[in-house]
Short mmCIF file of all heavy atoms in Angstrom, two decimals:
data_model
loop_
_atom_site.label_atom_id
_atom_site.label_comp_id
_atom_site.label_asym_id
_atom_site.label_seq_id
_atom_site.Cartn_x
_atom_site.Cartn_y
_atom_site.Cartn_z
N GLY A 73 -5.21 7.11 -22.03
CA GLY A 73 -6.38 7.31 -22.92
C GLY A 73 -7.41 6.01 -23.09
O GLY A 73 -8.48 6.11 -23.12
N ILE A 75 -7.65 3.70 -20.96
CA ILE A 75 -8.34 3.62 -19.65
C ILE A 75 -9.44 4.57 -19.59
O ILE A 75 -10.68 4.19 -19.22
CB ILE A 75 -7.46 3.66 -18.36
CG1 ILE A 75 -6.39 2.58 -18.30
CG2 ILE A 75 -8.24 3.92 -17.17
CD1 ILE A 75 -5.38 2.73 -17.34
N GLY A 95 10.27 12.13 -23.47
CA GLY A 95 8.98 12.25 -22.92
C GLY A 95 7.99 13.09 -23.48
O GLY A 95 6.82 13.13 -23.21
N SER A 101 0.95 12.54 -26.53
CA SER A 101 -0.03 11.48 -26.63
C SER A 101 -1.17 11.44 -25.71
O SER A 101 -2.33 11.31 -25.92
CB SER A 101 0.72 10.19 -26.65
OG SER A 101 1.54 9.98 -27.73
N PRO A 107 -12.59 14.69 -27.99
CA PRO A 107 -13.73 15.16 -27.12
C PRO A 107 -14.46 13.98 -26.43
O PRO A 107 -14.70 12.92 -27.13
CB PRO A 107 -14.56 15.89 -28.06
CG PRO A 107 -13.70 16.37 -29.20
CD PRO A 107 -12.71 15.19 -29.38
N GLU A 163 26.20 35.31 2.96
CA GLU A 163 26.89 36.55 2.94
C GLU A 163 27.72 36.65 1.72
O GLU A 163 28.56 35.74 1.41
CB GLU A 163 27.74 36.91 4.25
CG GLU A 163 26.86 37.08 5.46
CD GLU A 163 27.67 37.44 6.68
OE1 GLU A 163 28.71 38.18 6.54
OE2 GLU A 163 27.18 37.22 7.71
#
Side-chain angles (χ1 to χ4, degrees):
I75 291 171
S101 293
E163 293 187 26

